[in-house]
Amino acid sequence: MCKVSDIRLQPLLLSLSDEYCSTAIVSTMGEHTLLNAAIAEAKLGLSESGIPIGSVLADSSGRIIARGHNLRVQTGDPTAHAEVVCIRNAGRRTDWHKLVLVSTLSPCIMCTGTSLLYKIPRVIIGENHTFRGAEDLFVAHGVQLINLNDSECIELMRAFIQARPHLWNEDIGIPEE
């Protein structure tokens, strides 16, 4: 069983094997392992009746230093998108320029702007089929953008959008008719 000091992660981790936990929390991780951690955050958000988008922030060795998921519904905060929550959870830092941001979905313009503000040089996204964010801004600012086109991320968002289209439209700023 994993031992995690962050109490909100403990229910999620109860179902994970010790092998996954040691990989996800202790050792250096590759892109897909980091994305799996972001997917776990997305599923946590969905289990809280929120929007299933998750994010992690990792250092140059691949160690996760912050996690976050969309909390807009849970908190009533319209800026509580996964990437912004994750960056907030990282706290005050001076090494932003050495970090990598991973998100299950292509970041919206607000989340893109936040990562550009802190000069995060590398962004990994799970998918951009269900929503294409401000990817052109990343490219224009020299950010390395990697799209993993992950089928689990795509299906998670497709199912959510189909089940709760009004909530999704609210999240991305599409007004009701």
Side-chain angles (χ1 to χ4, degrees):
M1 182 70 57
C2 288
K3 292 194 173 47
V4 176
S5 60
D6 186 344
I7 199 75
R8 69 185 176 86
L9 291 178
Q10 287 177 349
L12 174 68
L13 294 176
L14 290 176
S15 64
L16 300 176
S17 70
D18 286 336
E19 178 183 333
Y20 176 82
C21 293
S22 63
T23 301
I25 296 169
V26 177
S27 69
T28 301
M29 296 185 263
E31 294 169 352
H32 289 281
T33 306
L34 287 169
L35 181 60
N36 286 337
I39 291 170
E41 283 292 319
K43 290 178 178 178
L44 181 58
L46 186 61
S47 76
E48 299 168 348
S49 299
I51 296 167
I53 303 170
S55 185
V56 298
L57 195 62
D59 65 17
S60 59
S61 69
R63 183 178 60 92
I64 293 177
I65 58 171
R67 298 169 186 264
H69 56 277
N70 189 304
L71 291 171
R72 203 181 57 71
V73 173
Q74 298 91 314
T75 65
D77 177 356
T79 68
H81 287 202
E83 301 87 348
V84 170
V85 170
C86 183
I87 289 170
R88 280 185 195 141
N89 288 342
R92 294 178 62 189
R93 308 186 66 84
T94 59
D95 64 344
W96 297 103
H97 63 286
K98 298 178 183 177
L99 304 179
V100 58
L101 181 67
V102 181
S103 180
T104 57
L105 185 64
S106 181
C108 73
I109 195 162
M110 177 181 66
C111 298
T112 298
T114 303
S115 63
L116 290 174
L117 174 68
Y118 290 103
K119 299 183 178 18
I120 297 171
R122 187 169 181 228
V123 176
I124 299 168
I125 61 174
E127 65 105 350
N128 67 359
H129 294 279
T130 58
F131 178 79
R132 185 175 178 95
E135 295 176 19
D136 57 331
L137 288 177
F138 284 128
V139 173
H141 285 85
V143 173
Q144 180 185 18
L145 182 65
I146 299 166
N147 182 354
L148 297 179
N149 289 309
D150 183 83
S151 60
E152 186 174 7
C153 291
I154 295 167
E155 185 50 37
L156 191 62
M157 285 309 299
R158 278 192 183 148
F160 177 78
I161 293 167
Q162 182 177 2
R164 302 187 71 189
H166 295 294
L167 182 56
W168 174 242
N169 287 340
E170 177 189 326
D171 189 62
I172 59 172
I174 296 175
E176 289 187 35
E177 296 178 12

